[in-house]
Amino acid sequence: MPPATPDRSPAPAETDPPAETAPAAETDPRTESVPAASRPVLGRRPVLMVCVFVVLAATGARLWVAAAGWFYWDDLILHGLAARHAWPDPDLLFTDHDGHLMPGGMALVWLATHLAPLEFRVPLLQIALLQLVSGAALARMLWVLLSGRTVLLVPLTAALVIPLGLPAATWWAAALNALPLTAAMAWAVASMVLLARTGGAQHAVGAAVATALGLLFVEKAVFVPVVAAVVLLGGWWTTSGTRADLPTLWRRTRAAWLAQSVIVAVWAAVFLVVVGRLGGRGSFGAAEGTRPDFAALVDHTYRLAVAPTLGGGPWRWDRWHPGPPMADPPLAAVIAGAVACAAVLAWSLATRRRTGAIWAGAALYPLVSVVLVAVGRAGPDTAAEIVQTLRYHAELPVVLAAATALALAAPRRANAPRRSPTPRRANAPRPRNDPRRTHNAPTLGGWPAAGALGLVALLASSAVSTVTYRQTWAEQPSRDYVQPLLAALRDRTEPLLDKDLPPEVLLPVTAPAHRLSWLLSGMPGVPEVGAWTREPVVIDAGGTLWSADVVPGRTLPQGPEPGCGHRIGADGTRIELDGPLIGRDWVVRLHTFAEADGHVSVRLDDGEPAIAPVEAGLGTVYVRLVGGGSGLTVSPIGGLSGLCVGSGPVGVLVPR
C-alpha cells in the first residue's frame, strides 16, 4: 500500500540511535516494511510555499511560450465551429472533432470565441488557468505520495520543466485535451492513495469526479483509473507485497472502482453513439494498410521523443509547415536522456527495495500512446514522425513523477547510505561498534549531491529546449495571414467571394474549415463572405487584398438578341459555354440588364446554384460557382420576371 512518510525530526536531547533501531516513519498498520524516511530539510509550510513557486514559475514559462504562438490548425477549426452556434448546445458540445469527444473543451472554445473572436488573449488565459490546475494537482499527488517531505520538490520540478509536456501545453487545442487529462490523472491518483490509507468517502468521490471531468475533455482519460490502480499496487508492492494486505486494500477502494467503472461505461456508450470509431477522419478500415510501421512508431517514440526529453532535450526542433514543431534531437541529446534514465534507475535499484517493477511499468506506458496513434491516426499521409510532436505523451510526466515518488518512498536497502538523523560535531569519531561506521556512512556527497547536480543540469538543458521551441513555435503563418486581413477588412463594405485559405494556414483536408467563410464566422465589423461581389479581390499569404478580375477558362458567348444578348425568361435559360469545365471553384463575370432590382440563381451543369443580387439597369456581378459542365443556367428569382445577360468570362481570379 502507498506509504505515509511524514517528516520526523528527533528532539535535541535524543541520541543518535543505531541504524537497526532508528525510528520508523509511519506506515499502514498492516504492513511491516518501513518506507525510506529522511530528516526534513524544510518544514511543511516552506515546502508548500516552494511548491506554489514551482507551479507558478512553470505556468509563467509555458505561458511565455504559448504567447509567442497564435491560433493554429485545430484552433481555427474549433473557433469557426463554435462561432456557428449562438449557444453551447448539445450539437456543439458533442461534436465529433476528428475522432475526439470533448464537451468540456468545446465549452471553453465557445466561451473564447464569443467573448473575443480571433483574439488570442482568452485562449492564453485558459491555458494559464488549466496549467495552474494541472500543476497544483501534480503537487498534491506528490505531497500525498511523499507526505510533504522536502524531496517531493525534485520530481515536481522535473515533471514541470522537462519539454515532454511543453508542446501540448502551449497549443490551445492540444492544451484543452492534455492539461485536463494530466490534472485528472494526478488528482485521481492522490485521491485513491488517500482512500486506501484512510477509507474516507470524500476521497472516493474526488477520484470519481476527477475521472469524469477528464473524460469531458479527452477520451484518453479512460486510462486515469488504470494509472491510479497501478500506483496503488506499486505502493503495496514496494512497502509490503504480501497477499494478506490485498483484501483490505480492495475493501477500502472498491466503491471508488465501481463508481469509476460506471462513469467510463456511460462515457463509452456516448462515445460509440457520437463518434463510433477510433481516431480521425475516415474509418479504420478505409485507412487499412496506410498506417505507419508500428516498429517505426516505437523507435521514434522512445529514441527521438521520450528519451531526449528526460534529459531536458531535444534542444533542437524541426517544422514542416503547416505541421507543428517536432523534436529533432542530436545524438548528444539522446545520449544525455539515456544517461539521465540510467542514473535514476541505478540510484533506485541501489538504494531502494523492489522498485524495478515500478520503473518497468513507467517504461511501458509510452506504448499506450503508440498503440493509439497506430490505430487511431491511420492515414495515407501519416508518418512515424507524428510521435515526435510530443503532444501524444503529455501525461507521461505525471506517470514518471508518480514512479519517482514511489521509489523515493520505498524502503531503503540494508546497505544503502543514510543521512544522519541528528547533527554531529565535525570530525567527531563514531563509536567502533556503530554500524554506520562503514563504507556506506553518509556524507555530503554521494546520491544527494549527484541528484542536486542532476536537477540543475536538467533545468539548464530544459531551458535550452524551451527557448528553441518558442523560436520555432513563433512561426505562425495563420497570424501572418489573419491579422493583416482583419485590418484590411475593417475598411471594406463590399462582400467577399469565398475561397480556400492558404495551405500554410489550413489544408483542404480540413474542409469545410479551410474556407475563408469558416475563418471569419462570427467576426464583427467585417463584410459578408459568400457567393457574389461587385468588387472582386484576391488575398495573398500575407493577408493583403489585391483588386482582381477573371481570367477566362471558358466564355459565355454573345447572345442572339441584339441589345440584350441572352434573354432570360421567368423559367430560366441554359447558356452553352464555348467549352466544358472540370469540377472545381469558378468565378463568372455576369453582365446583366434588368428592369427592376431582384436576384438571379446561377449554376453550372454539375453544380449547386448560387444566388446573387442584380440591380435595375446595367450591372456587373461576380458569382462564385462550384462544379463543372459545358453550360450555365441563369434563372430570375425574388420578384424578377426576366433579364438580359451579355457575354462574359468564366475562370479564376487574378490580381489586376
Side-chain angles (χ1 to χ4, degrees):
M1 188 173 296
T5 57
D7 293 329
R8 300 180 62 86
S9 300
E14 291 180 354
T15 60
D16 193 356
E20 293 85 356
T21 59
E26 297 176 9
T27 63
D28 189 281
R30 292 170 303 284
T31 63
E32 297 178 359
S33 299
V34 178
S38 63
R39 186 171 181 268
V41 178
L42 299 173
R44 284 178 172 259
R45 185 177 295 275
V47 171
L48 179 60
M49 298 306 296
V50 177
C51 286
V52 171
F53 171 78
V54 170
V55 171
L56 289 175
T59 300
R62 291 187 171 179
L63 189 62
W64 175 68
V65 175
W70 205 66
F71 294 100
Y72 166 72
W73 200 266
D74 290 78
D75 300 346
L76 298 173
I77 298 172
L78 294 173
H79 183 282
L81 179 64
R84 284 166 161 71
H85 293 262
W87 296 98
D89 51 43
D91 186 42
L92 170 67
L93 298 181
F94 291 91
T95 294
D96 169 10
H97 172 60
D98 203 19
H100 294 298
L101 183 62
M102 42 183 286
M106 289 293 186
L108 294 181
V109 170
W110 182 91
L111 186 64
T113 301
H114 288 267
L115 282 178
L118 288 179
E119 284 284 347
F120 202 52
R121 292 170 294 180
V122 178
L124 281 177
L125 178 60
Q126 292 180 352
I127 289 173
L129 293 176
L130 290 173
Q131 181 62 60
L132 282 174
V133 172
S134 176
L138 177 63
R140 175 181 181 258
M141 181 190 77
L142 293 172
W143 186 283
V144 169
L145 290 174
L146 292 168
S147 296
R149 290 164 50 195
T150 307
V151 73
L152 74 87
L153 298 174
V154 175
L156 176 64
T157 303
L160 290 176
V161 302
I162 60 173
L164 195 55
L166 180 64
T170 52
W171 172 11
W172 183 39
L176 294 177
N177 294 149
L179 294 178
L181 172 62
T182 57
M185 184 173 289
W187 193 274
V189 168
S191 294
M192 291 304 299
V193 170
L194 289 172
L195 178 63
R197 291 178 184 170
T198 67
Q202 71 274 20
H203 302 308
V205 173
V209 170
T211 300
L213 289 177
L215 288 170
L216 290 179
F217 289 88
V218 65
E219 60 276 0
K220 205 174 183 181
V222 296
F223 293 103
V224 166
V226 178
V227 172
V230 171
V231 172
L232 274 183
L233 291 175
W236 161 79
W237 174 253
T238 55
T239 59
S240 170
T242 60
R243 293 186 178 181
D245 292 330
L246 289 177
T248 302
L249 183 62
W250 167 249
R251 189 167 54 252
R252 286 190 172 186
T253 59
R254 61 187 176 187
W257 298 129
L258 177 61
Q260 292 179 79
S261 299
V262 170
I263 290 169
V264 170
V266 171
W267 174 88
V270 175
F271 183 87
L272 289 174
V273 170
V274 175
V275 179
R277 70 183 191 282
L278 291 175
R281 299 167 185 268
S283 66
F284 174 80
E288 186 65 33
T290 65
R291 299 187 305 277
D293 181 67
F294 186 79
L297 285 175
V298 173
D299 172 57
H300 282 249
T301 292
Y302 283 96
R303 182 172 57 88
L304 299 177
V306 174
T309 61
L310 299 183
W315 307 338
R316 187 174 67 194
W317 305 84
D318 193 10
R319 190 170 189 183
W320 306 340
H321 285 292
M326 300 180 299
D328 182 28
L331 179 60
V334 178
I335 294 174
V339 169
C341 292
V344 172
L345 187 62
W347 159 80
S348 177
L349 297 179
T351 65
R352 298 296 191 268
R353 294 177 48 213
R354 310 181 78 176
T355 57
I358 302 298
W359 296 114
L364 290 174
Y365 187 82
L367 290 177
V368 172
S369 298
V370 173
V371 171
L372 292 178
V373 169
V375 173
R377 291 299 169 194
D381 301 317
T382 304
E385 285 79 5
I386 189 173
V387 295
Q388 292 170 235
T389 62
L390 303 187
R391 67 182 184 271
Y392 297 104
H393 311 291
E395 78 282 8
L396 182 56
V398 175
V399 175
L400 296 175
T404 305
L406 290 176
L408 287 167
R412 293 180 185 270
R413 292 188 178 275
N415 61 345
R418 294 175 178 268
R419 295 183 66 85
S420 175
T422 57
R424 190 165 59 90
R425 189 177 73 251
N427 301 323
R430 291 191 180 276
R432 185 174 298 275
N433 62 349
D434 191 329
R436 284 167 296 176
R437 188 175 179 176
T438 67
H439 66 281
N440 284 328
T443 66
L444 294 178
W447 293 113
L453 290 175
L455 184 59
V456 171
L458 181 66
L459 288 171
S461 178
S462 298
V464 172
S465 297
T466 300
V467 171
T468 54
Y469 179 83
R470 185 180 189 270
Q471 293 169 348
T472 306
W473 186 235
E475 300 172 6
Q476 292 290 339
S478 58
R479 177 175 53 203
D480 299 338
Y481 175 79
V482 175
Q483 289 185 341
L485 174 61
L486 292 179
L489 292 180
R490 301 297 183 190
D491 300 325
R492 181 182 172 91
T493 57
E494 190 68 17
L496 292 165
L497 293 179
D498 202 2
K499 64 182 295 291
D500 285 1
L501 298 174
E504 297 86 357
V505 178
L506 281 175
L507 291 172
V509 70
T510 63
H514 73 304
R515 307 294 297 185
L516 182 64
S517 56
W518 187 282
L519 174 70
L520 298 180
S521 294
M523 279 298 301
V526 299
E528 178 186 355
V529 179
W532 69 274
T533 185
R534 293 187 178 89
E535 297 179 7
V537 295
V538 294
I539 308 171
D540 64 20
T544 303
L545 305 183
W546 300 92
S547 295
D549 204 348
V550 178
V551 171
R554 298 298 180 201
T555 302
L556 281 174
Q558 185 62 43
E561 184 174 331
C564 177
H566 299 278
R567 182 167 294 279
I568 310 300
D571 294 331
T573 300
R574 181 183 182 275
I575 305 172
E576 188 74 18
L577 301 174
D578 63 355
L581 293 170
I582 63 172
R584 55 153 294 166
D585 283 14
W586 299 103
V587 176
V588 56
R589 188 173 70 203
L590 202 62
H591 298 290
T592 63
F593 179 74
E595 296 180 353
D597 293 345
H599 291 80
V600 292
S601 169
V602 186
R603 71 175 182 87
L604 292 167
D605 290 341
D606 302 323
E608 295 296 320
I611 308 299
V614 295
E615 298 175 338
L618 292 172
T620 299
V621 63
Y622 295 79
V623 183
R624 172 181 167 266
L625 302 173
V626 180
S630 58
L632 187 76
T633 300
V634 181
S635 304
I637 57 175
L640 193 63
S641 59
L643 75 158
C644 296
V645 173
S647 175
V650 182
V652 296
L653 290 177
V654 297
R656 293 181 188 272

